[in-house]
Amino acid sequence: MDEPVLVADGLTRIHGVGCDRCLETTGPLSDTNRCSACGAVVAMADVSFALHPGEILGVMGESGSGKSTLVKVLHGDLAPSAGSAWFTQGDTRHELFALNAAERRSLRDRAMGMVHQNPHLGLNFQVSCGGNVAERLLMAGERRFATIRQRAERLLARMQVPIERMDERPGAFSGGMQQRVQIAKALATDPPLLLLDEVTTGLDVSVQARILDLILELQRETGTAMIVVTHDLGVIRLLAGRTLVMRLGRVVESGLTDQILEDPAHPYTQQLVSAAL
């Protein structure tokens, strides 16, 4: 098997000062993520996995399970309290949390794409849709206007955004169309890793289906590795080959998606699957 694109080892994020009892007094067995000793919130603890080229890894759980914290830490929006992560780009292996701010930003701009649940977090609403794609290309070092324009046109067309509307601002678009523009922007640099955080939440069912179909087509065509964070088991079933199930900051079950959904081993996963039936 190819070398993993991303390896995470023991990722932990604690909100607050924290103490030596935080991990002991929190998690599913304690039924809380707030430390009884110091009051800190353990948003995520000891999360480990490997993601290979072309693979889609699902991360599911209820609100507060830590799944969005995971992608925010990987993307660099939050610093981990403990743990490490290695990202492979070409022949170079980077220890993500050993990079300085400028190195991390450069790597993220060139090799990682992020699509947020709220398009306002991923798009600049003060510039056009084409301008949003151009911004990412400029951050990655592209300076030729013709190349930027052509790349923006191709990506937006691929996302089924009408080319005649590429010079309009995202505020003129529906939520589903804004998500398509976000995906086009995230893909501007052909990143080997795409992070998707609840990208279909709040959208009409028909719009959700079209966006999920586009994501699957992209994965098949480009071989981009993806981490898909969602509370929707239907999204997990459609997209993910492997899945992590999180509750109160811990991974309670992991494995092949079909196996987890058809024969869940952990009581919490059993509850999630039963609730979706």
Side-chain angles (χ1 to χ4, degrees):
M1 184 176 289
D2 292 336
E3 181 178 358
V5 173
L6 180 67
V7 176
D9 183 21
L11 291 183
T12 300
R13 169 68 189 192
I14 298 174
H15 297 297
V17 176
C19 69
D20 58 6
R21 296 196 61 205
C22 280
L23 301 187
E24 173 190 343
T25 63
T26 60
L29 293 178
S30 303
D31 200 29
T32 183
N33 60 2
R34 185 176 295 276
C35 176
S36 59
C38 70
V41 173
V42 180
M44 173 179 69
D46 198 27
V47 176
S48 302
F49 63 87
L51 178 70
H52 291 270
E55 183 180 19
I56 299 181
L57 176 68
V59 184
M60 71 176 188
E62 62 194 356
S63 178
S65 64
K67 58 189 188 298
S68 290
T69 298
L70 173 61
V71 292
K72 288 176 182 176
V73 167
L74 292 171
H75 191 244
D77 301 321
L78 290 174
S81 304
S84 55
W86 292 270
F87 178 77
T88 300
Q89 182 186 22
D91 296 326
T92 306
R93 196 168 188 244
H94 306 272
E95 207 292 277
L96 288 180
F97 310 125
L99 302 176
N100 63 37
E103 291 169 336
R104 183 67 189 272
R105 186 165 53 250
S106 176
L107 181 66
R108 182 172 65 182
D109 290 343
R110 295 174 182 273
M112 293 184 184
M114 177 75 175
V115 183
H116 300 267
Q117 175 183 344
N118 183 351
H120 282 82
L121 297 176
L123 295 174
N124 182 347
F125 276 65
Q126 303 307 309
V127 301
S128 68
C129 294
N132 270 275
V133 178
E135 277 187 346
R136 184 159 169 84
L137 289 167
L138 287 166
M139 287 190 294
E142 180 59 65
R143 293 293 181 266
R144 293 166 294 182
F145 174 79
T147 300
I148 291 173
R149 181 78 179 182
Q150 290 169 5
R151 178 70 174 157
E153 287 180 353
R154 285 198 300 270
L155 283 167
L156 291 170
R158 182 67 191 81
M159 291 296 104
Q160 301 176 3
V161 177
I163 295 303
E164 63 271 16
R165 299 191 64 187
M166 71 177 290
D167 293 319
E168 296 182 32
R169 295 183 181 183
F173 288 76
S174 66
M177 196 73 79
Q178 289 172 1
Q179 289 296 54
R180 294 181 195 178
V181 175
Q182 251 208 112
I183 297 171
K185 180 177 182 178
L187 292 171
T189 59
D190 289 323
L193 175 63
L194 191 62
L195 306 172
L196 304 162
D197 188 8
E198 298 277 15
V199 295
T200 59
T201 300
L203 301 177
D204 292 340
V205 173
S206 60
V207 177
Q208 288 185 32
R210 288 196 293 272
I211 288 178
L212 293 174
D213 285 344
L214 281 172
I215 291 170
L216 275 177
E217 288 177 19
L218 286 167
Q219 191 273 338
R220 286 194 291 262
E221 292 174 8
T222 66
T224 301
M226 302 181 188
I227 296 178
V228 177
V229 168
T230 182
H231 66 277
D232 189 329
L233 269 66
V235 172
I236 289 289
R237 188 184 296 276
L238 179 65
L239 296 183
R242 286 192 304 124
T243 294
L244 307 179
V245 181
M246 296 187 68
R247 181 171 187 266
L248 293 171
R250 290 355 188 245
V251 175
V252 296
E253 189 166 355
S254 64
L256 297 175
T257 300
D258 287 346
Q259 181 177 340
I260 285 177
L261 296 184
E262 296 300 328
D263 187 22
H266 194 275
Y268 174 67
T269 313
Q270 293 169 3
Q271 288 179 357
L272 289 179
V273 173
S274 296
L277 295 178

